[in-house]
Amino acid sequence: MMLPVVLLLMPILSPALAWIPLEDWESGNVTASVGESGQCVCHVSVPDTTFPADRVQNMQQVTKDLILEVKIQVNKMVSYESKMEIYLEQLMDLTVRVAMLASSPDKYIKLDFELLKTELKEFEALVSQLKGSINASSPMFDSLHAEIRNMTNIVNQLETYDKSNLEVIRIEFGKLQKKLEQCQKDQEFTTPDIGNCNNTGIGTISKPMVAQLNAHLNPSYQYGGWGKDSKPVRGYESMYWYGAYTGAAVYDFYLYSNYDKLILRSSFKSYHLQSGWEGNGNNYIVHGNTIYYPHNTPVGTMVKLNLTSSKYEYRVIPGVSQRFSYTYSPDQNLDFAADEKGLWVMYATEESKGKIVLAKIDEKSFGIEKQWNTGVFMQLAGNAFMACGVMYATRSVDLNTEEIYYSFNTNTGEEKQHNIQFQKFQEKYTNLDYNPTDQKLYMYNTGYYVSYNTKFNKE
């Protein structure tokens, strides 16, 4: 009778019952009786302590807490490891510096020792902080502290040796200071005499100083120019200007309060030329807070735009030919320039047979004050500029070299041949102008801002 009952009940027994010891089955925890329908019924009494479910749940929570704590401690150790690497590098640097002081203490002044002692104190504080954050003692920390104390003692000892040589160092420093002062005076003596023309002309030109690519950050903007106002109004002495395009047409100009703003491409004002007032050609300048640029309708039209009033004016120079232009770029029929003597414009005519005609502009009337015929063909020149009333023409020597090969002096009417060579950043350029406020040449060289220092021969 019992066997069927056992077989009948086995499938429905809870897995937990399998954990009950055999003696519990035999000690009254299991009883049997006959039900109303004659079926056999087994009664099993399982004590609560047989399967400790509450303890298992508590153990699972503790396990989760431990895992989280382990992760936190691992992250701390990673952070401490990176800090230790930094501290060890700093300690190595300090060790090298102390060794250098020990090898020749007489070559260092008191400031070196004071700085080194301060850094040692800071390093000791950092090690103490790290040790406190870990909240543990370690032979490594003890070794670091001992090393720092040893280095501090060495520095203190070396400093006592150094004091005997401080007076000698002060004397030598005084001599050096006098030499620097004399060098400064010599430098001031050779500084260009800005605004004056007590010279016999340009002697040499420096190496090119390349600022950067144009404000559009686009090398295809090869036609244009940049520079400073050659006759700045008060408050705008440091102003720079820029304008560039993919062709010879002139549409926009940008103004920058200083050189840093130019480099950062942060203009304080921009001008988009009104319809019908667009220019043609790249040889324009800013003079007296006014932009002077060429216009080809009709040919030989000079335009000026006042940067304060935004007022346009124009004048037409009779006889200007559209057939003649500089070597490096087309449509350069008018070339504006400015120097210590005033405002100028250069062009070629059919009558001059393509040779450059130099004209002085009357700034008040915006008319031609005087003209000179020069001996240089416009189509053979790379560009031309004015300095102290002298026109200088340039031409290519090779891909990397340009030269000033001709000059015409409006003061004396004298023409000269020259061989003043200077380097180009790129082969071709479309704008070259001298600025009397700093005696520099400003070149727009295939989309790049390039400048040169000029040196004049003394009388």
Side-chain angles (χ1 to χ4, degrees):
M1 181 95 183
M2 289 297 293
L3 182 59
V5 172
V6 174
L7 292 175
L8 178 64
L9 293 179
M10 281 298 290
I12 62 173
L13 288 177
S14 169
L17 297 180
W19 289 45
I20 303 176
L22 181 62
E23 56 269 18
D24 289 340
W25 286 88
E26 297 174 349
S27 60
N29 289 331
V30 179
T31 58
S33 62
V34 179
E36 295 179 355
S37 302
Q39 74 273 24
C40 183
V41 179
C42 292
H43 300 275
V44 180
S45 176
V46 181
D48 293 338
T49 57
T50 303
F51 183 76
D54 56 340
R55 291 170 61 188
V56 171
Q57 184 177 3
N58 181 61
M59 181 183 66
Q60 290 176 340
Q61 184 61 44
V62 171
T63 302
K64 290 181 181 179
D65 294 341
L66 286 175
I67 293 173
L68 179 61
E69 183 65 24
V70 168
K71 289 182 178 180
I72 293 173
Q73 295 300 326
V74 168
N75 291 335
K76 282 185 178 181
M77 291 306 299
V78 172
S79 175
Y80 295 150
E81 183 179 0
S82 62
K83 288 182 179 180
M84 283 300 300
E85 290 179 356
I86 296 173
Y87 295 155
L88 289 174
E89 288 179 1
Q90 293 178 354
L91 182 60
M92 288 293 295
D93 179 64
L94 291 174
T95 304
V96 171
R97 291 169 61 188
V98 170
M100 291 173 62
L101 288 173
S103 62
S104 54
D106 57 324
K107 294 183 180 180
Y108 294 86
I109 61 174
K110 185 176 180 59
L111 182 61
D112 295 317
F113 294 103
E114 294 297 332
L115 181 61
L116 193 56
K117 287 195 295 184
T118 300
E119 293 179 355
L120 282 168
K121 290 179 181 179
E122 293 176 352
F123 190 81
E124 185 175 8
L126 288 172
V127 174
S128 299
Q129 180 183 0
L130 182 59
K131 181 179 179 180
S133 62
I134 296 179
N135 195 22
S137 179
S138 170
M140 180 175 57
F141 291 119
D142 296 337
S143 176
L144 281 174
H145 274 292
E147 183 69 19
I148 292 170
R149 285 193 295 270
N150 183 43
M151 291 171 64
T152 303
N153 292 334
I154 294 174
V155 172
N156 291 334
Q157 185 180 10
L158 291 174
E159 186 180 16
T160 61
Y161 297 151
D162 181 71
K163 289 179 179 179
S164 62
N165 295 317
L166 282 178
E167 188 61 31
V168 177
I169 293 174
R170 290 192 186 99
I171 295 174
E172 293 298 324
F173 182 77
K175 293 180 180 179
L176 178 60
Q177 188 174 18
K178 289 181 180 179
K179 290 182 180 179
L180 290 174
E181 290 173 355
Q182 183 61 43
C183 180
Q184 186 176 10
K185 291 180 181 179
D186 294 340
Q187 183 67 26
E188 291 173 355
F189 180 75
T190 57
T191 298
D193 193 4
I194 304 296
N196 294 318
C197 291
N198 53 344
N199 59 72
T200 59
I202 293 177
T204 58
I205 296 177
S206 71
K207 292 183 178 180
M209 293 169 284
V210 183
Q212 66 173 22
L213 189 62
N214 59 69
H216 291 91
L217 299 179
N218 192 336
S220 65
Y221 279 63
Q222 297 188 10
Y223 299 89
W226 78 292
K228 296 180 68 176
D229 191 328
S230 53
K231 186 183 175 182
V233 298
R234 181 173 297 180
Y236 291 88
E237 292 84 358
S238 300
M239 185 183 75
Y240 283 78
W241 59 270
Y242 158 73
Y245 324 93
T246 55
V250 180
Y251 296 102
D252 302 285
F253 292 99
Y254 301 87
L255 303 180
Y256 306 86
S257 57
N258 52 48
Y259 183 79
D260 291 339
K261 295 296 183 181
L262 171 77
I263 298 302
L264 294 172
R265 310 191 307 280
S266 177
S267 62
F268 72 87
K269 202 168 188 178
S270 62
Y271 294 87
H272 184 74
L273 301 182
Q274 295 179 9
S275 177
W277 290 98
E278 296 89 347
N280 196 65
N282 308 285
N283 286 274
Y284 37 78
I285 62 169
V286 177
H287 182 75
N289 204 43
T290 300
I291 300 175
Y292 292 85
Y293 64 94
H295 189 68
N296 274 356
T297 309
V299 176
T301 300
M302 302 186 298
V303 178
K304 71 175 184 177
L305 169 61
N306 188 290
L307 298 179
T308 302
S309 63
S310 298
K311 179 183 177 182
Y312 292 86
E313 290 186 57
Y314 77 95
R315 295 288 187 276
V316 178
I317 304 175
V320 174
S321 175
Q322 200 171 8
R323 291 200 305 123
F324 306 106
S325 181
Y326 288 134
T327 302
Y328 296 127
S329 56
D331 302 315
Q332 306 299 300
N333 307 128
L334 295 181
D335 180 8
F336 291 94
D339 64 358
E340 293 83 356
K341 303 294 183 178
L343 184 63
W344 310 81
V345 63
M346 292 164 281
Y347 51 90
T349 66
E350 296 294 337
E351 185 180 355
S352 71
K353 298 180 180 180
K355 291 183 179 181
I356 293 179
V357 177
L358 173 62
K360 181 76 183 303
I361 299 175
D362 186 320
E363 296 180 42
K364 292 184 179 180
S365 66
F366 195 29
I368 299 300
E369 181 180 319
K370 192 175 180 180
Q371 292 179 327
W372 294 264
N373 290 316
T374 73
V376 58
F377 288 95
M378 194 168 192
Q379 289 178 311
L380 297 181
N383 215 291
F385 62 90
M386 298 295 299
C388 287
V390 179
M391 186 196 83
Y392 295 91
T394 68
R395 67 182 176 187
S396 176
V397 177
D398 54 44
L399 296 179
N400 302 315
T401 310
E402 194 80 357
E403 73 170 355
I404 295 175
Y405 75 101
Y406 173 90
S407 70
F408 179 87
N409 193 327
T410 62
N411 304 303
T412 63
E414 182 183 12
E415 296 179 281
K416 285 185 179 180
Q417 299 295 322
H418 301 275
N419 184 25
I420 305 173
Q421 296 190 357
F422 58 97
Q423 295 179 10
K424 291 181 290 188
F425 177 64
Q426 302 283 351
E427 179 186 0
K428 298 180 179 180
Y429 60 92
T430 55
N431 190 302
L432 180 66
D433 271 310
Y434 168 82
N435 194 300
T437 66
D438 53 14
Q439 293 189 351
K440 287 185 176 182
L441 289 177
Y442 289 89
M443 175 189 285
Y444 191 70
N445 194 181
T446 319
Y448 285 85
Y449 303 148
V450 181
S451 63
Y452 300 85
N453 290 320
T454 58
K455 184 178 180 180
F456 290 84
N457 295 321
K458 297 296 181 180
E459 289 185 340

